[in-house]
Amino acid sequence: MSDRITAKNITDNEFFYGHKACAGCGGSLAVRMALKVLGERTFIALPAGCMSAVGFNFPQLCFSNNAIISTFAGTGSIITGIEAGARALGLKDYHVLGMAGDGGTADIGIQALSGAIDRNDRVIYICYDNEAYMNTGIQKSGLTPFGAKTTTTPAGKHIHGNVKNKKNMFEIVAAHGIPYAATASIAYMDDFIEKVRKASQVDGPSYIHVIAPCPTGWGIPADRTIEAAKEMVDCGLWYLAEYYDDEFHLNRDPNEFTSVSDYLKSQGRFKHLSDEDIALIEQGRDKKWEKIRAWN
Amino acid sequence: MGKVKFISGDDAFAEGIRLARPQVVSAYPITPQTIVVERLSDMVEDQSLKSEFIHVESEHSALSCAIGASSVGARAFTATSSQGLLYMAEGLPYAAGGRFPIVMMNANRATALPWNIYGDQRDSVSQLDCGWIQVYVEDAQESLDMALMSYYIAEHPSVRVPVMVNLDGFVLTHTYEAVDIPEAKLADEFLPPYVSDNKMDLENPKNMAFSVGPADNQEFHLLHHKAMLRVADVVNEADTRFQSIFGRSHGGMVEGYRTEDAEYVLITVGSITGLAREVVDELRSQGVRAGVLKLRFLRPFPSQQIAEALVNSIEQGSAEVGSVVQAVGTLEKDISFGYEGTIYTNVNSALIKEDVHVPSYNFIGGLGGRDISKEDIRKCFSHMIGKEKDKIVWIGLGVEDDVR
Ligand SMILES: Cc1ncc(C[n+]2csc(CCOP(=O)(O)OP(=O)(O)O)c2C)c(N)n1
Ligand code: SF4
Ligand SMILES: [Mg+2]
């Protein structure tokens, strides 16, 4: 498609800079890139979480477009209000974007998100998933994967980190019959950018779930963020897909997965996992892929 | 004059909102507020109200949505009650601190546990510190008029603070009265469109609802507080303007009844005031100098106005120096467990600050919709007249108990 945005033609304008995110922060990259696609006429709402914590410290306010912090649970409903207000006032040619973390999306904010989709509001919702409550110091969220050590799922003799699998937000959202939903990874930037562009053209709600590693919480060096995000997709623990026209579409179906064990062992949060734990994770992956391969 | 309709307090409030023309309405149903939400959706359907009616999935979202709408400069309305108010509580200081001039109707209702759908004021009184202006109306006409006037006050450039208008559950929300419904043309003359630069703007982007650290935080609160201190003047301005356009007035922060020379003054909030006035008339006919002082606003708290109403009785009722007021009683549908009624706490603090030193009593009743009878109110006065020792008295109890 000719209007495709790529690394070559994406704007040099920056909308999110001067913030206090850690070096190598995946979430801030996701925010920055999403705004480059959507442009300056975007209202962005971010709930409590790392991105609002690093970006809105008066007087150091880091968005050059319109931006607001929402309550932790209220991303879905504040973007509804922004959109309704803008429509009522007759504003033209704008986007309304909510960008919340995994906790803000899958846990405390899931009700408001569900409401926004149900209302068919013309809003874009992006979940930047770093797989824990990072802003409060790495506690387990509903999207923390099996086995991950967090400050509330310690890895000890009796329990090996988190005992639950990630909720599948993508499919939960799709179950609403949303016009457009997708998964993405900051390592596959062209894919993410294209999905944001597609979302922006939907006349109704759209949802993108983007994996955005957090070096601080994952226990990886700051320069390994992108690699970790890439390995997660390549080893099959994450998948790139879309949902539209009432159907799922798998975007990337590798013939061979890279090593799950290598992916896990390169991260501090999984260091403690035993071979049996890793085998369980692989089994879970294979079962999942049987299902999602049937989509295509 | 507009046309007169025989409608409930909830209906009247909805009529007021139709006249105020909010651009976004987001509310979630809860007894006894529900009628308001239903009426507004009817009005949007028949296009007599051109609003975005948002079907929110909770009260937390109702207020969050209103905040979003206000953050782009739209006029927003929400309504709730009791559990709903508490469920949206996180958003209350959020809306107020962000200086979003949202108007909310709250149907005063008991809070669980025990579950109870009837009226008392424990829901809104528990939120006195959240930074909203709080008004308590007495009848259906005042409900309609305050729906309109609240936007004038909230959006006033020297205020910019949200307003919660409280209607006693059932006693007011569901009681039918003849209500004058003003013409839309006059309402438009009274209430100008909302214009503000406290908003996100496509031509002039803003970052809003940000964090403020210890170095500047207190100053933001001071600005908010100062805005609250300007409310009393704006209420008077709104009322004068209202009277000149509609020929009707509801007064200022407080409203006294026969307080000019009163020796015994009962302080009331909301719809119970009417009954208290009847008892005062009765007592007057028996030679007792009784009066009622209705507090229309609990935030900002009308300390000075209370003192003035009591001190009035010095100048007009007596040649002596010193107040003729022998005792003051605060009648409220609230209890701060382990202490006293919170309105009483506020009244006492006001009296001390304003150097009015008189015995002060607290009458707690009407909890969970318990009827407050004329006899109960008579007892309040006789308790004050008898200079009884107990300062805090539960009235209308069904069991013999000395709550001490
Ligand atoms: C109602 C409420 N509960 C708890 C918090 C504390 N809190 C702030 S951010 C946060 C975690 C955010 O996690 P997530 O949404 O995953 O975003 P991240 O920080 O990881 O980017 C928590 C628990 C809050 N601000 N508000
Ligand atoms: S803790 Fe993680 S998510 Fe938060 S700013 Fe640092 S790198 Fe980003
Ligand atoms: Mg997170």
Side-chain angles (χ1 to χ4, degrees), chain A residues 193-208:
Chain A
I193 286 173
E194 175 62 5
K195 285 169 175 170
V196 176
R197 194 190 64 81
K198 278 189 183 170
S200 74
Q201 297 184 336
V202 175
D203 188 18
S206 53
Y207 176 86
I208 299 173

Side-chain angles (χ1 to χ4, degrees), chain B residues 131-357:
Chain B
W132 286 53
I133 296 166
Q134 282 201 7
V135 200
Y136 292 75
V137 296
E138 188 184 333
D139 56 32
Q141 187 69 61
E142 194 186 0
S143 301
L144 185 153
D145 295 350
M146 283 315 291
L148 204 49
M149 241 188 286
S150 291
Y151 277 107
Y152 186 87
I153 298 164
E155 294 172 0
H156 196 284
S158 69
V159 177
R160 296 282 153 88
V161 172
V163 175
M164 183 192 303
V165 189
N166 293 281
L167 278 69
D168 280 308
F170 289 104
V171 178
L172 179 46
T173 57
H174 285 60
T175 301
Y176 282 67
E177 297 172 42
V179 176
D180 174 65
I181 299 167
E183 280 173 41
K185 197 167 51 103
L186 293 184
D188 290 344
E189 190 185 323
F190 172 76
L191 183 65
Y194 174 45
V195 181
S196 169
D197 59 5
N198 184 37
K199 65 171 183 187
M200 296 191 283
D201 186 341
L202 288 170
E203 311 316 322
N204 181 23
K206 262 211 176 96
N207 288 198
M208 299 189 84
F210 39 72
S211 301
V212 182
D216 302 298
N217 194 288
Q218 222 161 275
E219 285 68 19
F220 277 86
H221 292 313
L222 182 64
L223 288 172
H224 181 174
H225 180 60
K226 284 185 162 175
M228 286 294 254
L229 298 181
R230 292 190 289 266
V231 167
D233 285 344
V234 174
V235 167
N236 290 333
E237 178 190 316
D239 194 63
T240 306
R241 182 183 172 93
F242 198 87
Q243 186 165 27
S244 74
I245 294 175
F246 302 103
R248 214 170 24 240
S249 159
H250 294 285
M253 302 294 286
V254 302
E255 187 195 79
Y257 180 73
R258 305 187 84 164
T259 48
E260 298 77 18
D261 63 343
E263 292 182 331
Y264 302 98
V265 176
L266 189 65
I267 291 178
T268 59
V269 173
S271 61
I272 194 65
T273 312
L275 197 66
R277 285 197 202 95
E278 281 182 38
V279 174
V280 161
D281 287 344
E282 223 176 79
L283 292 170
R284 287 271 175 176
S285 70
Q286 295 158 14
V288 180
R289 280 156 65 180
V292 185
L293 183 65
K294 177 178 76 171
L295 307 186
R296 295 187 63 228
F297 288 76
L298 290 187
R299 282 294 178 276
F301 196 73
S303 305
Q304 261 177 358
Q305 292 85 348
I306 292 172
E308 276 161 22
L310 299 178
V311 168
N312 254 346
S313 50
I314 306 173
E315 290 157 0
Q316 299 180 12
S318 159
E320 303 158 31
V321 179
S323 177
V324 297
V325 175
Q326 300 294 312
V328 178
T330 301
L331 172 59
E332 63 185 299
K333 301 173 182 175
D334 171 57
I335 172 70
S336 178
F337 299 110
Y339 198 34
E340 58 197 17
T342 294
I343 304 174
Y344 176 63
T345 309
N346 280 257
V347 166
N348 282 342
S349 163
L351 296 180
I352 291 169
K353 262 199 317 264
E354 305 293 332
D355 279 323
V356 179
H357 302 288

Side-chain angles (χ1 to χ4, degrees), chain A residues 101-104 128-135 141:
Chain A
D102 45 289
Y128 68 92
D129 184 1
N130 52 29
E131 304 199 309
Y133 297 157
M134 294 311 178
N135 185 47
S141 82

Side-chain angles (χ1 to χ4, degrees), chain A residues 48-50 53 72 103 130 132-141 151-152:
Chain A
C50 269
F72 194 18
N130 52 29
Y133 297 157
M134 294 311 178
N135 185 47
T136 35
I138 327 171
Q139 294 83 29
K140 178 212 175 295
S141 82
T151 54
T152 52

Side-chain angles (χ1 to χ4, degrees), chain A residues 1 20 30 33 36 44 53 56 67 83 88 99 123 129 143 150 167 173 186 189 193-194 196 198 206 214 278 285:
Chain A
M1 259 178 276
K20 298 175 192 294
M33 296 313 284
K36 276 177 174 274
I44 185 173
F56 285 92
E83 201 274 327
M99 258 189 110
V123 293
D129 184 1
L143 298 185
T150 69
K167 290 190 201 179
V173 164
I186 57 160
M189 193 51 86
I193 286 173
E194 175 62 5
V196 176
K198 278 189 183 170
S206 53
C214 160
I278 293 173
R285 173 199 64 184

Side-chain angles (χ1 to χ4, degrees), chain A residues 19 21-30 50-51 54 128 130 186 212-215 222 225:
Chain A
H19 54 72
C22 316
C25 173
S28 58
L29 180 60
C50 269
M51 291 308 103
V54 304
Y128 68 92
N130 52 29
I186 57 160
C214 160
T225 303

